[in-house]
Amino acid sequence: MTSRESAVSEITPEVLLRAYACGIFPMAESAGDPTLFWVEPEMRGVIPLEGFRIASRLARTVRSDAFSVTVDTAFKAVIAGCAAPQPGRDDTWINKRIRDLYVGLHELGHCHSVEVWQDGDLVGGLYGVSLGRAFFGESMFHRTRDASKVALVHLVARLIAGGFELLDTQYVTEHLRSFGAVEIPRRRYRMLLDKAIAGEPADFLNLAAGQPVSGAEALAIIAERN
Protein backbone atom coordinates (compact mmCIF):
# COMPACT_ATOMS: atom_id res chain seq x y z
CA MET A 1 0.00 0.00 0.00
CA THR A 2 1.38 3.43 -0.92
CA SER A 3 0.21 7.02 -0.67
CA ARG A 4 1.91 10.07 -2.14
CA GLU A 5 2.50 13.03 0.12
CA SER A 6 0.33 16.07 -0.43
CA ALA A 7 2.69 18.78 0.79
CA VAL A 8 6.47 18.97 0.96
CA SER A 9 6.42 20.82 4.28
CA GLU A 10 4.39 18.17 6.11
CA ILE A 11 7.19 15.65 6.65
CA THR A 12 9.69 16.34 9.42
CA PRO A 13 12.00 13.95 11.27
CA GLU A 14 9.44 13.84 14.09
CA VAL A 15 6.64 12.96 11.65
CA LEU A 16 8.90 10.30 10.20
CA LEU A 17 9.34 8.67 13.62
CA ARG A 18 5.57 8.57 14.12
CA ALA A 19 5.22 6.94 10.72
CA TYR A 20 7.75 4.24 11.62
CA ALA A 21 5.82 3.57 14.83
CA CYS A 22 2.80 2.86 12.60
CA GLY A 23 4.74 0.56 10.26
CA ILE A 24 5.03 3.09 7.42
CA PHE A 25 8.18 4.40 5.71
CA PRO A 26 8.89 6.86 2.86
CA MET A 27 10.45 6.27 -0.54
CA ALA A 28 11.02 8.28 -3.71
CA GLU A 29 10.57 7.12 -7.30
CA SER A 30 14.17 8.07 -8.09
CA ALA A 31 17.08 10.15 -6.84
CA GLY A 32 15.93 13.02 -9.06
CA ASP A 33 12.27 12.98 -8.01
CA PRO A 34 11.66 15.59 -5.26
CA THR A 35 8.46 13.97 -3.98
CA LEU A 36 8.03 11.15 -1.50
CA PHE A 37 5.40 8.48 -1.02
CA TRP A 38 4.50 6.40 2.01
CA VAL A 39 4.81 2.62 1.87
CA GLU A 40 3.26 -0.09 4.04
CA PRO A 41 3.99 -3.47 2.39
CA GLU A 42 1.46 -6.31 2.63
CA MET A 43 4.41 -8.60 3.39
CA ARG A 44 7.26 -7.23 5.50
CA GLY A 45 10.88 -8.35 5.57
CA VAL A 46 12.50 -9.05 8.93
CA ILE A 47 15.66 -10.80 10.09
CA PRO A 48 15.00 -12.71 13.33
CA LEU A 49 17.94 -11.85 15.58
CA GLU A 50 17.93 -15.34 17.06
CA GLY A 51 18.04 -16.82 13.57
CA PHE A 52 20.75 -14.71 11.96
CA ARG A 53 22.86 -16.86 9.65
CA ILE A 54 26.49 -16.25 8.68
CA ALA A 55 28.17 -18.31 5.96
CA SER A 56 31.47 -19.85 7.03
CA ARG A 57 33.48 -17.90 4.45
CA LEU A 58 31.98 -14.62 5.63
CA ALA A 59 32.63 -15.58 9.26
CA ARG A 60 36.31 -16.06 8.40
CA THR A 61 36.37 -12.61 6.78
CA VAL A 62 34.71 -11.01 9.81
CA ARG A 63 37.07 -12.78 12.22
CA SER A 64 40.13 -11.73 10.23
CA ASP A 65 39.39 -8.02 10.82
CA ALA A 66 40.43 -7.31 7.24
CA PHE A 67 38.09 -4.32 7.55
CA SER A 68 37.79 -1.88 10.42
CA VAL A 69 34.25 -1.07 11.51
CA THR A 70 32.99 2.13 13.13
CA VAL A 71 29.60 3.49 14.14
CA ASP A 72 28.14 6.97 13.61
CA THR A 73 31.43 8.50 12.46
CA ALA A 74 30.52 9.13 8.79
CA PHE A 75 26.73 9.13 8.56
CA LYS A 76 26.46 11.53 5.63
CA ALA A 77 29.12 9.61 3.69
CA VAL A 78 27.26 6.34 4.25
CA ILE A 79 23.92 7.70 3.06
CA ALA A 80 25.72 9.20 0.04
CA GLY A 81 27.24 5.79 -0.67
CA CYS A 82 23.82 4.16 -0.44
CA ALA A 83 22.40 6.77 -2.83
CA ALA A 84 25.16 6.32 -5.42
CA PRO A 85 24.74 3.98 -8.41
CA GLN A 86 25.84 0.40 -7.73
CA PRO A 87 26.68 -2.45 -10.11
CA GLY A 88 23.35 -3.60 -11.49
CA ARG A 89 21.54 -0.57 -10.05
CA ASP A 90 21.77 2.69 -11.97
CA ASP A 91 19.25 4.61 -9.90
CA THR A 92 18.12 4.72 -6.29
CA TRP A 93 15.09 5.73 -4.23
CA ILE A 94 17.25 7.98 -2.01
CA ASN A 95 16.68 11.59 -3.12
CA LYS A 96 17.81 14.82 -1.44
CA ARG A 97 14.70 15.00 0.75
CA ILE A 98 15.32 11.47 2.01
CA ARG A 99 18.91 12.39 2.82
CA ASP A 100 17.88 15.55 4.67
CA LEU A 101 15.19 13.78 6.70
CA TYR A 102 17.47 10.97 7.82
CA VAL A 103 20.30 13.35 8.64
CA GLY A 104 17.73 15.10 10.84
CA LEU A 105 16.86 11.77 12.49
CA HIS A 106 20.57 11.11 13.00
CA GLU A 107 20.94 14.44 14.76
CA LEU A 108 18.03 13.46 17.03
CA GLY A 109 19.80 10.19 17.89
CA HIS A 110 17.27 7.99 16.07
CA CYS A 111 19.27 7.11 12.97
CA HIS A 112 22.63 5.35 12.94
CA SER A 113 25.28 4.27 10.50
CA VAL A 114 27.77 1.42 10.48
CA GLU A 115 30.89 2.21 8.46
CA VAL A 116 33.37 -0.27 7.00
CA TRP A 117 36.88 0.92 6.19
CA GLN A 118 39.89 -0.49 4.38
CA ASP A 119 43.21 1.33 4.30
CA GLY A 120 41.50 4.52 5.42
CA ASP A 121 38.84 4.42 2.68
CA LEU A 122 35.11 3.99 3.28
CA VAL A 123 34.33 0.82 1.33
CA GLY A 124 30.88 -0.06 2.64
CA GLY A 125 28.24 0.53 5.24
CA LEU A 126 24.59 0.77 6.13
CA TYR A 127 22.18 3.04 7.96
CA GLY A 128 18.84 2.67 9.67
CA VAL A 129 16.35 4.01 12.19
CA SER A 130 16.22 3.09 15.87
CA LEU A 131 12.91 3.35 17.73
CA GLY A 132 12.17 1.56 20.99
CA ARG A 133 13.57 -1.96 20.62
CA ALA A 134 13.13 -1.95 16.83
CA PHE A 135 15.74 -1.16 14.21
CA PHE A 136 14.63 -0.40 10.67
CA GLY A 137 17.38 -1.12 8.16
CA GLU A 138 17.18 1.41 5.35
CA SER A 139 19.98 0.77 2.88
CA MET A 140 23.50 -0.58 2.53
CA PHE A 141 26.31 -0.27 0.00
CA HIS A 142 29.70 -1.71 -0.79
CA ARG A 143 32.67 -0.76 -2.91
CA THR A 144 34.68 -3.83 -1.96
CA ARG A 145 33.51 -7.43 -1.77
CA ASP A 146 31.90 -8.38 1.54
CA ALA A 147 32.05 -4.85 2.98
CA SER A 148 28.27 -4.45 3.35
CA LYS A 149 27.97 -8.00 4.70
CA VAL A 150 30.54 -7.24 7.38
CA ALA A 151 28.55 -4.11 8.24
CA LEU A 152 25.40 -6.21 8.66
CA VAL A 153 27.16 -8.72 10.93
CA HIS A 154 28.43 -5.91 13.16
CA LEU A 155 24.98 -4.30 13.15
CA VAL A 156 23.30 -7.50 14.34
CA ALA A 157 25.89 -7.95 17.11
CA ARG A 158 25.23 -4.38 18.24
CA LEU A 159 21.45 -4.87 18.17
CA ILE A 160 21.70 -8.04 20.25
CA ALA A 161 24.03 -6.38 22.76
CA GLY A 162 21.72 -3.37 22.98
CA GLY A 163 18.55 -5.33 23.71
CA PHE A 164 16.76 -4.95 20.37
CA GLU A 165 13.94 -7.34 19.45
CA LEU A 166 13.06 -6.47 15.86
CA LEU A 167 15.26 -5.98 12.78
CA ASP A 168 13.06 -4.73 9.95
CA THR A 169 14.47 -5.01 6.42
CA GLN A 170 11.31 -3.67 4.72
CA TYR A 171 11.62 -6.15 1.85
CA VAL A 172 13.40 -9.48 1.39
CA THR A 173 16.03 -9.98 -1.31
CA GLU A 174 17.94 -13.17 -2.04
CA HIS A 175 20.97 -11.48 -0.48
CA LEU A 176 19.09 -10.86 2.78
CA ARG A 177 17.46 -14.27 2.67
CA SER A 178 20.91 -15.83 2.93
CA PHE A 179 21.21 -14.19 6.38
CA GLY A 180 17.87 -15.59 7.52
CA ALA A 181 15.49 -12.85 6.39
CA VAL A 182 11.84 -13.88 6.08
CA GLU A 183 8.59 -12.27 4.98
CA ILE A 184 5.74 -11.95 7.44
CA PRO A 185 2.19 -10.62 6.92
CA ARG A 186 1.42 -7.03 7.83
CA ARG A 187 -0.77 -8.04 10.78
CA ARG A 188 1.99 -10.18 12.30
CA TYR A 189 4.54 -7.44 11.69
CA ARG A 190 2.38 -4.86 13.44
CA MET A 191 2.14 -7.11 16.50
CA LEU A 192 5.92 -7.44 16.65
CA LEU A 193 6.37 -3.72 16.06
CA ASP A 194 3.88 -2.69 18.75
CA LYS A 195 5.68 -4.94 21.26
CA ALA A 196 9.11 -3.62 20.23
CA ILE A 197 8.27 0.05 20.61
CA ALA A 198 6.48 -0.33 23.96
CA GLY A 199 8.32 -0.09 27.26
CA GLU A 200 12.02 0.40 27.86
CA PRO A 201 13.93 1.32 24.67
CA ALA A 202 17.00 -0.57 23.52
CA ASP A 203 20.44 1.04 23.51
CA PHE A 204 22.17 1.14 20.13
CA LEU A 205 25.30 2.46 21.81
CA ASN A 206 25.44 -0.18 24.54
CA LEU A 207 28.60 -1.18 22.70
CA ALA A 208 30.28 2.21 22.82
CA ALA A 209 30.63 3.87 19.43
CA GLY A 210 34.17 4.98 20.20
CA GLN A 211 35.32 1.53 21.24
CA PRO A 212 36.08 -0.75 18.26
CA VAL A 213 34.44 -4.17 18.34
CA SER A 214 36.54 -6.93 16.81
CA GLY A 215 35.11 -9.42 14.38
CA ALA A 216 35.61 -12.21 16.91
CA GLU A 217 33.65 -10.25 19.53
CA ALA A 218 30.81 -9.59 17.09
CA LEU A 219 30.59 -13.26 16.14
CA ALA A 220 30.64 -14.32 19.80
CA ILE A 221 27.73 -11.99 20.63
CA ILE A 222 25.70 -13.42 17.75
CA ALA A 223 26.59 -17.02 18.61
CA GLU A 224 25.42 -16.53 22.20
CA ARG A 225 21.99 -15.35 20.98
CA ASN A 226 21.73 -18.23 18.52
Side-chain angles (χ1 to χ4, degrees), residues 67-97:
F67 302 103
S68 59
V69 181
T70 58
V71 170
D72 287 348
T73 66
F75 183 85
K76 290 182 180 179
V78 167
I79 199 169
C82 292
Q86 297 266 310
R89 187 193 73 188
D90 295 330
D91 204 354
T92 175
W93 53 271
I94 302 172
N95 63 9
K96 183 180 184 303
R97 293 206 55 227

Side-chain angles (χ1 to χ4, degrees), residues 71-148:
V71 170
D72 287 348
T73 66
F75 183 85
K76 290 182 180 179
V78 167
I79 199 169
C82 292
Q86 297 266 310
R89 187 193 73 188
D90 295 330
D91 204 354
T92 175
W93 53 271
I94 302 172
N95 63 9
K96 183 180 184 303
R97 293 206 55 227
I98 290 280
R99 290 201 210 188
D100 291 345
L101 281 168
Y102 287 89
V103 168
L105 278 185
H106 176 65
E107 292 170 351
L108 292 175
H110 281 285
C111 202
H112 300 280
S113 59
V114 177
E115 305 98 16
V116 179
W117 308 84
Q118 189 173 53
D119 300 326
D121 295 324
L122 182 66
V123 294
L126 57 81
Y127 75 97
V129 175
S130 173
L131 182 63
R133 296 185 304 281
F135 189 88
F136 308 85
E138 285 299 313
S139 188
M140 61 175 62
F141 81 101
H142 69 277
R143 298 181 180 126
T144 299
R145 182 183 180 184
D146 288 340
S148 61

